[in-house]
Amino acid sequence: LVLHLGEVDADGAWVRRGDEEALTLYDAAVADALRPTPLRFRARQLVSLEPGDARSLGIEAGSAAGIEAGGLTERATRGEGGAWTLEAPSSMEADRVVVRDIARRLATLAAERFVAEAPAAEHGLRSPSRVVTARFEPAEEGGEPTDLRLAFGAETVEGTYARLDEGPVFIASAELVDAVERSLASLDDLTVPIEDLTSIRLERGPEQTELTRDGTTWQLAGGGTPNPDRTRALLDRLSTLRASRVLTHGAQDTSLAVPSLRVVATRRDGSTVSLSFGPEITQDGEALVPARRDGVPVTYGFRPELLESILDFAP
């Protein structure tokens, strides 16, 4: 099949098939599809690395990004034991699920399609909404490290414009964009293992309910036995808390200035874990309950239904 592209004007593009005498008028966009460029023959696979070789990961988000780490730079590194640690903006554990997912997607990065050899104003890459950097170091001796810089620009109908290092502009998949819009901070930081606890106190303003461990059972501090099903649900939820997302980084959060509930858990060694839960808020159209753990400079968001056994606990 041979197609001949003729004149292209405001009315459209004239196309002839083979030696046929008839001409057909198509939308002008057809011209772009018929003009051969080097990009049209370039392999869409941009990176082929081992995800397990990832050693560092950084995400810099513009202040207008409107996402978890907007205006911040997060940086995580992988230690000798394989654990990931967040180094900026706070020093704390990184979320292993999130980090590994991003590392996997970067190690196998592919373009949905290529757009242009160099960025233009409409691609939004001159002031990226987000820049992801990563270093991969092969495990075998003598292997050379690979550094990646992936910039994300404006959204388009097909997805988001992106550029790897100084390469051509391409469309990034929605799954990749969703992955790098997540914070690297651990979502498990509010988890409270119950095996070593001696008491749990729930404070709602002046009202307090305290449970104390008596052997293998839990009792009310003032005497009496709490409802076993509700108590078990409370303990199970505290020991499996995983946030839905990170809301903010920083030492203070106005949404928790007056917490709706504080949970203070005491361990056998006398140390305590204190969690604060605020009034329900809405972010990006999603209902969330903000929560913090004393000493951790991150505010997390939980879907309300995940916290019912804690927020609505009654003995």
Side-chain angles (χ1 to χ4, degrees):
L1 174 64
V2 178
L3 294 177
H4 301 277
L5 176 64
E7 183 178 353
V8 181
D9 54 28
D11 294 327
W14 291 98
V15 178
R16 170 183 287 169
R17 185 173 64 179
D19 296 328
E20 295 177 357
E21 295 185 3
L23 294 176
T24 305
L25 182 65
Y26 288 91
D27 187 276
V30 169
D32 291 333
L34 294 178
R35 289 192 182 103
T37 67
L39 284 181
R40 205 170 296 282
F41 304 99
R42 179 167 178 160
R44 292 190 302 112
Q45 190 70 41
L46 296 171
V47 181
S48 294
L49 298 170
E50 286 295 326
D53 290 342
R55 289 295 178 269
S56 67
L57 182 63
I59 300 182
E60 179 181 351
S63 58
I67 41 187
E68 289 183 1
L72 291 175
T73 296
E74 292 190 309
R75 186 170 58 255
T77 58
R78 183 181 180 185
E80 292 299 324
W84 284 85
T85 301
L86 192 67
E87 296 182 340
S90 307
S91 179
M92 59 185 296
E93 182 182 353
D95 195 278
R96 61 188 183 278
V97 176
V98 172
V99 171
R100 289 173 182 171
D101 181 46
I102 295 175
R104 177 181 61 82
R105 293 182 186 278
L106 291 177
T108 58
L109 179 65
E112 294 295 290
R113 75 174 180 88
F114 291 103
V115 176
E117 289 283 1
E122 63 266 24
H123 300 146
L125 289 163
R126 293 170 185 172
S127 297
S129 60
R130 183 167 289 262
V131 176
V132 180
T133 56
R135 166 163 281 212
F136 290 78
E137 297 179 357
E140 63 269 15
E141 187 176 350
E144 290 294 324
T146 299
D147 292 313
L148 305 178
R149 182 186 185 275
L150 179 61
F152 294 86
E155 293 184 1
T156 179
V157 175
E158 299 174 83
T160 300
Y161 294 118
R163 191 185 193 195
L164 178 65
D165 299 322
E166 299 301 316
V169 179
F170 66 93
I171 300 295
S173 70
E175 293 78 13
L176 173 61
V177 175
D178 288 344
V180 301
E181 285 186 348
R182 291 176 291 176
S183 171
L184 304 180
S186 174
L187 297 175
D188 297 316
D189 246 20
L190 271 65
T191 300
V192 182
I194 63 173
E195 295 79 7
D196 196 40
L197 298 184
T198 58
S199 69
I200 300 172
R201 187 172 71 253
L202 293 88
E203 304 172 354
R204 296 181 179 88
E207 179 186 345
Q208 295 190 8
T209 300
E210 185 168 3
L211 304 175
T212 59
R213 187 192 292 273
D214 182 10
T216 59
T217 63
W218 288 83
Q219 302 294 324
L220 290 170
T225 301
N227 180 282
D229 293 333
R230 291 196 290 267
T231 301
R232 174 49 55 189
L234 169 69
L235 298 173
D236 287 346
R237 179 54 65 200
L238 285 173
S239 65
T240 57
L241 275 176
R242 180 171 172 82
S244 303
R245 63 163 70 181
V246 169
L247 297 179
T248 62
H249 282 271
Q252 301 295 328
D253 190 311
T254 55
S255 65
L256 288 163
V258 181
S260 302
L261 172 68
R262 274 182 62 83
V263 177
V264 182
T266 303
R267 304 186 183 98
R268 287 193 177 93
D269 62 5
S271 61
T272 60
V273 177
S274 299
L275 310 181
S276 297
F277 300 89
E280 186 177 307
I281 63 172
T282 300
Q283 187 173 93
D284 299 331
E286 181 181 19
L288 295 167
V289 174
R292 288 178 74 99
R293 174 174 177 165
D294 285 5
V296 177
V298 174
T299 300
Y300 295 95
F302 289 84
R303 294 196 303 275
E305 63 270 19
L306 294 178
L307 297 177
E308 288 180 352
S309 57
I310 299 176
L311 300 180
D312 300 335
F313 177 77

